[in-house]
Coordinates of all heavy atoms in Angstrom, one line a residue:
M635 N -76.6 8.4 75.9 CA -78.1 8.2 75.9 C -78.4 6.8 76.5 O -77.7 5.8 76.2 CB -78.6 8.2 74.5 CG -80.0 8.1 74.3 SD -80.5 8.5 72.6 CE -81.7 7.3 72.4
L636 N -79.3 6.7 77.4 CA -79.7 5.5 78.0 C -80.6 4.6 77.1 O -81.4 5.1 76.4 CB -80.5 5.8 79.3 CG -79.7 6.4 80.4 CD1 -80.6 6.8 81.6 CD2 -78.6 5.5 80.9
Q637 N -80.3 3.4 77.1 CA -81.1 2.4 76.3 C -82.0 1.7 77.3 O -81.6 1.4 78.4 CB -80.2 1.5 75.6 CG -79.3 2.1 74.6 CD -78.5 1.1 73.8 OE1 -78.5 0.0 74.1 NE2 -77.7 1.6 72.9
P638 N -83.2 1.3 76.8 CA -84.1 0.6 77.7 C -83.6 -0.8 78.0 O -82.8 -1.4 77.2 CB -85.4 0.5 76.9 CG -85.0 0.7 75.5 CD -83.8 1.6 75.5
A639 N -83.9 -1.3 79.2 CA -83.5 -2.7 79.6 C -84.1 -3.7 78.6 O -85.3 -3.6 78.3 CB -83.8 -2.9 81.0
P640 N -83.4 -4.7 78.2 CA -84.0 -5.7 77.3 C -85.0 -6.5 78.1 O -84.9 -6.8 79.3 CB -82.8 -6.6 76.9 CG -81.7 -6.3 78.0 CD -82.0 -4.9 78.5
N641 N -86.0 -6.9 77.3 CA -87.0 -7.8 77.8 C -86.4 -9.1 78.3 O -85.6 -9.7 77.5 CB -88.1 -8.0 76.8 CG -89.2 -8.9 77.2 OD1 -89.2 -9.4 78.3 ND2 -90.2 -8.9 76.3
A642 N -86.8 -9.6 79.4 CA -86.2 -10.9 79.9 C -86.5 -12.1 79.0 O -85.6 -12.9 78.7 CB -86.7 -11.2 81.3
Y643 N -87.7 -12.1 78.4 CA -88.0 -13.1 77.4 C -87.1 -13.1 76.2 O -86.7 -14.1 75.7 CB -89.5 -13.0 77.0 CG -90.0 -14.1 76.1 CD1 -90.2 -15.4 76.6 CD2 -90.2 -13.9 74.8 CE1 -90.7 -16.4 75.8 CE2 -90.6 -14.9 74.0 CZ -90.8 -16.2 74.5 OH -91.3 -17.2 73.7
A644 N -86.9 -11.8 75.7 CA -86.0 -11.7 74.6 C -84.6 -12.2 74.8 O -83.9 -12.8 74.0 CB -86.0 -10.2 74.1
V645 N -84.1 -11.9 76.0 CA -82.8 -12.3 76.4 C -82.7 -13.8 76.5 O -81.7 -14.4 75.9 CB -82.3 -11.7 77.8 CG1 -81.1 -12.3 78.3 CG2 -82.2 -10.2 77.7
T646 N -83.6 -14.5 77.1 CA -83.6 -16.0 77.1 C -83.7 -16.6 75.8 O -83.1 -17.6 75.4 CB -84.6 -16.5 78.1 OG1 -85.9 -16.0 77.7 CG2 -84.4 -16.1 79.5
T647 N -84.6 -16.0 74.9 CA -84.7 -16.5 73.5 C -83.4 -16.4 72.8 O -83.0 -17.3 72.1 CB -85.9 -15.7 72.8 OG1 -87.1 -15.8 73.6 CG2 -86.1 -16.3 71.4
R648 N -82.7 -15.2 72.9 CA -81.4 -15.1 72.2 C -80.4 -16.0 72.8 O -79.6 -16.6 72.0 CB -80.9 -13.6 72.4 CG -81.7 -12.6 71.6 CD -81.0 -11.3 71.7 NE -82.0 -10.3 71.3 CZ -82.2 -9.2 72.0 NH1 -81.6 -8.9 73.1 NH2 -83.1 -8.3 71.6
L649 N -80.4 -16.2 74.1 CA -79.5 -17.2 74.6 C -79.7 -18.6 74.1 O -78.8 -19.3 73.7 CB -79.6 -17.2 76.2 CG -78.6 -18.1 76.9 CD1 -77.2 -17.8 76.6 CD2 -78.9 -18.1 78.4
L650 N -81.0 -19.0 74.0 CA -81.3 -20.3 73.5 C -80.8 -20.4 72.0 O -80.3 -21.5 71.6 CB -82.7 -20.7 73.6 CG -83.2 -20.9 75.1 CD1 -84.7 -21.1 75.1 CD2 -82.5 -22.0 75.7
A651 N -81.0 -19.3 71.3 CA -80.6 -19.3 69.8 C -79.1 -19.5 69.7 O -78.6 -20.2 68.9 CB -81.1 -18.1 69.2
L652 N -78.4 -18.8 70.6 CA -76.9 -18.9 70.6 C -76.5 -20.4 71.0 O -75.5 -20.9 70.5 CB -76.3 -17.9 71.6 CG -76.3 -16.5 71.1 CD1 -75.8 -15.6 72.2 CD2 -75.4 -16.3 69.9
L653 N -77.2 -21.0 71.9 CA -76.8 -22.3 72.4 C -77.0 -23.3 71.2 O -76.2 -24.3 71.2 CB -77.6 -22.8 73.6 CG -77.3 -22.1 74.9 CD1 -78.3 -22.5 75.9 CD2 -75.9 -22.5 75.3
T654 N -77.9 -23.1 70.3 CA -78.1 -24.0 69.2 C -76.9 -24.0 68.3 O -76.8 -24.9 67.5 CB -79.4 -23.7 68.4 OG1 -79.3 -22.4 67.9 CG2 -80.6 -23.9 69.3
L655 N -76.0 -23.0 68.4 CA -74.8 -23.0 67.5 C -73.9 -24.1 67.9 O -73.0 -24.5 67.1 CB -74.1 -21.6 67.6 CG -74.9 -20.5 67.1 CD1 -74.2 -19.2 67.3 CD2 -75.2 -20.6 65.6
L656 N -74.0 -24.7 69.1 CA -73.2 -25.8 69.4 C -73.6 -27.1 68.7 O -72.9 -28.1 68.7 CB -73.2 -26.0 71.0 CG -72.6 -24.9 71.8 CD1 -72.9 -25.2 73.3 CD2 -71.1 -24.8 71.5
L657 N -74.9 -27.1 68.2 CA -75.4 -28.3 67.6 C -75.1 -28.3 66.1 O -74.8 -27.2 65.5 CB -76.9 -28.3 67.8 CG -77.4 -28.3 69.3 CD1 -78.9 -28.2 69.4 CD2 -76.9 -29.5 70.0
R658 N -75.3 -29.4 65.5 CA -75.1 -29.5 64.0 C -76.2 -28.7 63.3 O -77.3 -28.6 63.8 CB -75.1 -31.0 63.6 CG -73.9 -31.7 63.9 CD -74.0 -33.1 63.3 NE -72.7 -33.8 63.5 CZ -72.5 -35.0 63.2 NH1 -73.5 -35.7 62.7 NH2 -71.4 -35.6 63.4
G659 N -75.9 -28.2 62.1 CA -76.8 -27.4 61.4 C -78.1 -28.1 61.1 O -79.2 -27.5 61.1
T660 N -78.1 -29.4 60.9 CA -79.3 -30.1 60.5 C -80.3 -30.2 61.7 O -81.5 -30.4 61.6 CB -79.0 -31.5 60.0 OG1 -78.2 -32.2 61.0 CG2 -78.3 -31.5 58.7
Q661 N -79.7 -30.2 62.9 CA -80.5 -30.3 64.2 C -80.8 -29.0 64.8 O -81.7 -28.9 65.7 CB -79.7 -31.2 65.1 CG -79.5 -32.6 64.6 CD -78.4 -33.3 65.3 OE1 -77.6 -32.7 66.0 NE2 -78.3 -34.6 65.1
R662 N -80.2 -28.0 64.4 CA -80.3 -26.7 65.1 C -81.7 -26.1 65.1 O -82.2 -25.7 66.1 CB -79.4 -25.7 64.3 CG -78.7 -24.7 65.1 CD -77.7 -23.9 64.3 NE -76.4 -24.6 64.4 CZ -75.5 -24.4 63.5 NH1 -75.6 -23.6 62.5 NH2 -74.4 -25.1 63.7
T663 N -82.4 -26.1 64.0 CA -83.7 -25.6 63.8 C -84.7 -26.4 64.7 O -85.5 -25.8 65.4 CB -84.2 -25.6 62.4 OG1 -83.2 -24.9 61.6 CG2 -85.5 -25.0 62.2
R664 N -84.6 -27.7 64.7 CA -85.5 -28.5 65.5 C -85.4 -28.2 67.0 O -86.4 -27.9 67.6 CB -85.2 -30.0 65.3 CG -86.0 -30.9 66.2 CD -85.6 -32.3 66.0 NE -86.2 -33.1 67.1 CZ -85.4 -33.8 67.9 NH1 -84.2 -33.9 67.8 NH2 -86.0 -34.4 68.9
W665 N -84.2 -28.1 67.5 CA -84.0 -27.9 68.9 C -84.4 -26.4 69.3 O -85.0 -26.2 70.3 CB -82.5 -28.2 69.3 CG -82.3 -29.6 69.4 CD1 -81.7 -30.4 68.5 CD2 -82.7 -30.5 70.5 NE1 -81.7 -31.7 68.9 CE2 -82.3 -31.8 70.2 CE3 -83.4 -30.3 71.7 CZ2 -82.6 -32.9 71.0 CZ3 -83.6 -31.4 72.5 CH2 -83.2 -32.7 72.1
R666 N -84.1 -25.5 68.4 CA -84.4 -24.1 68.7 C -86.0 -23.9 68.8 O -86.5 -23.3 69.7 CB -83.9 -23.1 67.6 CG -84.3 -21.7 67.9 CD -83.8 -20.8 66.8 NE -82.4 -20.9 66.6 CZ -81.8 -20.6 65.4 NH1 -82.5 -20.3 64.4 NH2 -80.5 -20.8 65.3
Q667 N -86.7 -24.5 67.9 CA -88.1 -24.5 67.9 C -88.7 -25.2 69.1 O -89.6 -24.7 69.8 CB -88.7 -25.1 66.6 CG -88.5 -24.3 65.4 CD -88.9 -25.1 64.2 OE1 -89.2 -26.3 64.2 NE2 -89.0 -24.4 63.0
E668 N -88.1 -26.3 69.5 CA -88.6 -27.0 70.7 C -88.4 -26.3 71.9 O -89.2 -26.1 72.8 CB -87.9 -28.4 70.7 CG -88.4 -29.3 71.8 CD -87.8 -30.7 71.7 OE1 -87.6 -31.2 70.6 OE2 -87.6 -31.3 72.8
W669 N -87.2 -25.7 72.1 CA -86.9 -24.9 73.3 C -87.7 -23.6 73.4 O -88.2 -23.3 74.4 CB -85.4 -24.6 73.3 CG -84.5 -25.7 73.6 CD1 -84.8 -26.9 74.2 CD2 -83.1 -25.8 73.3 NE1 -83.8 -27.7 74.3 CE2 -82.7 -27.1 73.7 CE3 -82.2 -25.0 72.6 CZ2 -81.4 -27.6 73.6 CZ3 -80.9 -25.5 72.5 CH2 -80.5 -26.7 73.0
Q670 N -87.9 -23.0 72.2 CA -88.8 -21.7 72.3 C -90.2 -22.1 72.6 O -90.9 -21.3 73.3 CB -88.6 -21.0 70.9 CG -87.3 -20.3 70.8 CD -87.1 -19.6 69.5 OE1 -87.9 -19.8 68.5 NE2 -86.1 -18.8 69.4
A671 N -90.7 -23.2 72.1 CA -92.1 -23.6 72.4 C -92.2 -23.9 73.9 O -93.2 -23.5 74.6 CB -92.5 -24.8 71.6
E672 N -91.2 -24.6 74.5 CA -91.2 -24.9 75.9 C -91.1 -23.6 76.7 O -91.8 -23.4 77.7 CB -90.0 -25.8 76.2 CG -89.9 -26.2 77.6 CD -91.0 -27.2 78.0 OE1 -91.4 -28.0 77.2 OE2 -91.3 -27.3 79.2
L673 N -90.3 -22.7 76.3 CA -90.1 -21.4 77.0 C -91.4 -20.6 77.0 O -91.8 -20.0 78.0 CB -89.0 -20.6 76.3 CG -88.5 -19.4 77.0 CD1 -87.8 -19.8 78.3 CD2 -87.5 -18.6 76.1
A674 N -92.1 -20.6 75.9 CA -93.3 -19.8 75.8 C -94.4 -20.5 76.6 O -95.3 -19.7 77.1 CB -93.8 -19.8 74.3
A675 N -94.4 -21.7 76.9 CA -95.4 -22.4 77.7 C -95.2 -22.2 79.2 O -96.1 -22.4 80.0 CB -95.4 -23.9 77.4
L676 N -94.0 -21.8 79.6 CA -93.7 -21.6 81.0 C -94.4 -20.3 81.6 O -94.3 -19.3 80.9 CB -92.2 -21.6 81.3 CG -91.5 -22.9 81.0 CD1 -90.0 -22.8 81.1 CD2 -92.0 -24.0 81.9
P677 N -95.0 -20.4 82.8 CA -95.8 -19.3 83.2 C -95.1 -18.1 83.9 O -95.6 -17.0 83.7 CB -96.7 -20.0 84.3 CG -95.9 -21.1 84.8 CD -95.1 -21.6 83.6
T678 N -94.0 -18.4 84.5 CA -93.3 -17.3 85.2 C -91.9 -17.0 84.7 O -91.3 -17.9 84.1 CB -93.3 -17.6 86.8 OG1 -92.4 -18.7 87.0 CG2 -94.6 -17.8 87.3
R679 N -91.4 -15.8 85.1 CA -90.1 -15.5 84.7 C -89.1 -16.4 85.3 O -88.1 -16.8 84.7 CB -89.8 -14.0 85.1 CG -88.5 -13.5 84.7 CD -88.4 -12.0 85.2 NE -87.1 -11.5 84.8 CZ -86.7 -10.3 85.0 NH1 -87.6 -9.4 85.6 NH2 -85.6 -9.9 84.7
R680 N -89.3 -16.8 86.6 CA -88.4 -17.6 87.3 C -88.3 -19.0 86.6 O -87.2 -19.6 86.5 CB -88.8 -17.8 88.7 CG -87.9 -18.7 89.5 CD -88.3 -18.8 91.0 NE -87.4 -19.7 91.6 CZ -87.2 -19.7 92.9 NH1 -87.8 -18.9 93.7 NH2 -86.3 -20.6 93.4
T681 N -89.4 -19.6 86.3 CA -89.4 -20.9 85.6 C -88.7 -20.8 84.2 O -88.0 -21.8 83.9 CB -90.8 -21.5 85.5 OG1 -91.6 -20.6 84.7 CG2 -91.4 -21.8 86.8
R682 N -88.9 -19.7 83.5 CA -88.2 -19.6 82.3 C -86.7 -19.4 82.5 O -85.9 -20.0 81.7 CB -88.7 -18.3 81.5 CG -90.1 -18.5 81.0 CD -90.6 -17.4 80.0 NE -90.7 -16.1 80.7 CZ -91.8 -15.7 81.3 NH1 -92.9 -16.4 81.3 NH2 -91.8 -14.5 81.9
A683 N -86.3 -18.7 83.5 CA -84.9 -18.6 83.8 C -84.3 -20.0 84.2 O -83.2 -20.3 83.8 CB -84.7 -17.6 84.9
C684 N -85.0 -20.7 85.0 CA -84.5 -22.1 85.4 C -84.4 -23.0 84.2 O -83.4 -23.7 84.1 CB -85.4 -22.7 86.5 SG -85.3 -21.9 88.1
F685 N -85.4 -22.9 83.3 CA -85.3 -23.7 82.1 C -84.1 -23.4 81.3 O -83.4 -24.3 80.8 CB -86.6 -23.6 81.3 CG -86.6 -24.2 80.0 CD1 -86.8 -25.6 79.9 CD2 -86.4 -23.5 78.8 CE1 -86.7 -26.2 78.6 CE2 -86.4 -24.1 77.6 CZ -86.5 -25.5 77.5
T686 N -83.9 -22.1 81.1 CA -82.8 -21.6 80.3 C -81.5 -22.0 80.9 O -80.5 -22.5 80.2 CB -82.8 -20.1 80.1 OG1 -84.1 -19.7 79.5 CG2 -81.7 -19.6 79.2
F687 N -81.4 -22.0 82.2 CA -80.1 -22.4 82.9 C -79.9 -23.9 82.7 O -78.7 -24.3 82.5 CB -80.2 -22.0 84.4 CG -79.0 -22.3 85.2 CD1 -77.8 -21.6 85.0 CD2 -79.0 -23.3 86.1 CE1 -76.7 -21.9 85.7 CE2 -77.8 -23.6 86.8 CZ -76.7 -22.9 86.6
R688 N -80.9 -24.7 82.8 CA -80.8 -26.1 82.6 C -80.3 -26.4 81.2 O -79.5 -27.3 81.0 CB -82.1 -26.9 83.0 CG -82.4 -27.0 84.4 CD -83.5 -27.9 84.8 NE -84.6 -27.9 83.8 CZ -85.7 -27.3 84.0 NH1 -85.9 -26.6 85.1 NH2 -86.7 -27.3 83.1
V689 N -80.9 -25.7 80.2 CA -80.5 -25.9 78.8 C -79.1 -25.5 78.6 O -78.3 -26.2 78.0 CB -81.5 -25.2 77.9 CG1 -80.9 -25.2 76.5 CG2 -82.8 -25.8 77.9
L690 N -78.7 -24.4 79.3 CA -77.3 -23.9 79.2 C -76.3 -25.0 79.7 O -75.3 -25.2 79.1 CB -77.2 -22.6 80.0 CG -75.8 -22.0 80.1 CD1 -75.3 -21.5 78.8 CD2 -75.8 -20.9 81.1
L691 N -76.6 -25.6 80.8 CA -75.8 -26.6 81.3 C -75.7 -27.9 80.5 O -74.7 -28.6 80.5 CB -76.1 -26.9 82.8 CG -75.9 -25.8 83.8 CD1 -76.4 -26.2 85.2 CD2 -74.5 -25.4 83.8
S692 N -76.9 -28.3 79.9 CA -76.9 -29.6 79.2 C -76.6 -29.6 77.7 O -76.4 -30.6 77.1 CB -78.3 -30.2 79.4 OG -79.3 -29.3 78.8
T693 N -76.6 -28.4 77.1 CA -76.4 -28.3 75.7 C -75.0 -28.9 75.2 O -75.0 -29.6 74.2 CB -76.5 -26.9 75.2 OG1 -77.9 -26.5 75.5 CG2 -76.3 -26.8 73.7
P694 N -73.9 -28.6 75.9 CA -72.6 -29.3 75.5 C -72.7 -30.8 75.5 O -72.3 -31.4 74.5 CB -71.6 -28.8 76.5 CG -72.2 -27.5 77.0 CD -73.7 -27.7 77.0
H695 N -73.3 -31.4 76.5 CA -73.5 -32.8 76.5 C -74.4 -33.3 75.4 O -74.1 -34.3 74.7 CB -74.0 -33.3 77.9 CG -74.1 -34.8 78.0 ND1 -75.3 -35.5 77.8 CD2 -73.2 -35.7 78.3 CE1 -75.0 -36.8 77.9 NE2 -73.8 -36.9 78.3
L696 N -75.5 -32.6 75.2 CA -76.4 -32.9 74.1 C -75.6 -32.9 72.7 O -75.8 -33.8 71.9 CB -77.6 -32.0 74.1 CG -78.5 -32.1 72.9 CD1 -79.3 -33.4 72.9 CD2 -79.5 -31.0 72.9
S697 N -74.8 -31.9 72.5 CA -74.1 -31.8 71.3 C -73.2 -33.0 71.1 O -73.1 -33.5 70.0 CB -73.3 -30.5 71.3 OG -72.5 -30.4 70.2
L698 N -72.5 -33.3 72.1 CA -71.6 -34.5 72.0 C -72.3 -35.8 71.8 O -71.9 -36.7 71.0 CB -70.7 -34.6 73.2 CG -69.7 -33.5 73.5 CD1 -69.0 -33.7 74.8 CD2 -68.7 -33.5 72.3
T699 N -73.5 -35.9 72.4 CA -74.3 -37.1 72.2 C -74.8 -37.2 70.8 O -74.8 -38.3 70.2 CB -75.4 -37.1 73.2 OG1 -74.9 -37.1 74.6 CG2 -76.3 -38.4 73.1
L700 N -75.2 -36.1 70.3 CA -75.8 -36.1 68.9 C -74.7 -36.4 67.9 O -75.0 -36.9 66.8 CB -76.5 -34.8 68.6 CG -77.8 -34.6 69.4 CD1 -78.3 -33.2 69.1 CD2 -78.8 -35.7 69.1
R701 N -73.5 -36.1 68.2 CA -72.4 -36.3 67.2 C -71.8 -37.7 67.3 O -71.0 -38.1 66.4 CB -71.2 -35.3 67.5 CG -71.6 -33.9 67.1 CD -70.6 -32.9 67.6 NE -71.1 -31.5 67.5 CZ -71.0 -30.7 66.4 NH1 -70.4 -31.2 65.4 NH2 -71.4 -29.5 66.5
R702 N -72.1 -38.4 68.4 CA -71.5 -39.8 68.5 C -72.2 -40.7 67.5 O -73.4 -40.7 67.3 CB -71.9 -40.3 69.9 CG -71.3 -41.7 70.2 CD -71.6 -42.2 71.6 NE -71.2 -41.3 72.6 CZ -71.8 -41.1 73.7 NH1 -72.9 -41.8 74.0 NH2 -71.3 -40.3 74.6
P703 N -71.3 -41.5 66.8 CA -71.9 -42.5 65.9 C -72.8 -43.4 66.6 O -72.6 -43.8 67.8 CB -70.7 -43.2 65.4 CG -69.5 -42.3 65.6 CD -69.9 -41.5 66.9
V704 N -73.8 -43.9 65.9 CA -74.8 -44.8 66.5 C -74.3 -46.1 66.9 O -74.6 -46.7 67.9 CB -76.0 -45.0 65.5 CG1 -77.0 -45.9 66.1 CG2 -76.7 -43.6 65.2
C705 N -73.3 -46.6 66.1 CA -72.8 -47.9 66.4 C -71.8 -48.0 67.5 O -71.4 -49.0 68.0 CB -72.2 -48.5 65.1 SG -70.8 -47.5 64.5
Q706 N -71.3 -46.8 68.0 CA -70.3 -46.8 69.1 C -71.0 -47.1 70.4 O -72.0 -46.6 70.7 CB -69.7 -45.4 69.1 CG -68.6 -45.3 70.1 CD -68.0 -43.9 70.1 OE1 -68.3 -43.1 69.3 NE2 -67.0 -43.6 71.0
E707 N -70.3 -47.9 71.2 CA -70.8 -48.2 72.5 C -70.5 -47.0 73.5 O -69.5 -46.4 73.4 CB -70.0 -49.4 73.1 CG -70.3 -50.7 72.4 CD -71.7 -51.2 72.7 OE1 -72.2 -51.0 73.8 OE2 -72.4 -51.7 71.7
P708 N -71.5 -46.8 74.4 CA -71.2 -45.7 75.3 C -70.1 -46.0 76.3 O -69.9 -47.1 76.6 CB -72.6 -45.5 76.0 CG -73.3 -46.8 75.8 CD -72.7 -47.4 74.5
R709 N -69.4 -44.9 76.7 CA -68.3 -45.1 77.6 C -68.9 -45.4 79.0 O -69.9 -44.9 79.4 CB -67.4 -43.9 77.7 CG -66.6 -43.7 76.4 CD -65.7 -42.5 76.6 NE -64.9 -42.3 75.4 CZ -64.1 -41.4 75.3 NH1 -63.9 -40.5 76.2 NH2 -63.4 -41.3 74.2
R710 N -68.1 -46.1 79.8 CA -68.5 -46.4 81.2 C -67.5 -45.8 82.1 O -66.4 -45.7 81.9 CB -68.7 -47.9 81.4 CG -69.8 -48.4 80.6 CD -70.0 -49.9 80.9 NE -71.1 -50.3 80.1 CZ -72.1 -50.9 80.5 NH1 -72.3 -51.1 81.8 NH2 -73.0 -51.4 79.7

């Protein structure tokens, strides 16, 4: 039986929800809400896809940055 193609908005929303799993539990909800609000404000499918791609590339770095102790000096 054929299943209908998933809605592009639903796919990007699920992807952003999965990306928040890389973040600490205390920060997960905040970032998920912020990303979903940003996604909802974007007018076209292409801009939503570009936004999701940028978040996909930057989430690992964000996760490491948020885990770094505040007193530690950044590496050069």
Side-chain angles (χ1 to χ4, degrees):
M635 185 168 140
L636 294 175
Q637 296 179 356
N641 181 353
Y643 184 76
V645 170
T646 54
T647 303
R648 286 187 201 133
L649 180 60
L650 291 177
L652 285 173
L653 287 173
T654 59
L655 294 176
L656 294 173
L657 304 174
R658 287 185 172 175
T660 56
Q661 299 160 341
R662 216 172 270 156
T663 304
R664 174 183 166 239
W665 284 100
R666 182 184 303 152
Q667 289 173 349
E668 188 172 322
W669 289 338
Q670 287 177 347
E672 182 72 26
L673 192 65
L676 295 173
T678 64
R679 183 178 179 179
R680 181 178 178 160
T681 56
R682 289 190 295 271
C684 289
F685 173 77
T686 304
F687 184 69
R688 285 193 321 262
V689 170
L690 175 68
L691 293 178
S692 64
T693 301
H695 183 264
L696 173 66
S697 177
L698 292 173
T699 301
L700 293 174
R701 291 174 193 269
R702 183 182 302 149
V704 176
C705 61
Q706 184 179 357
E707 291 290 322
R709 290 183 179 181
R710 292 183 186 236

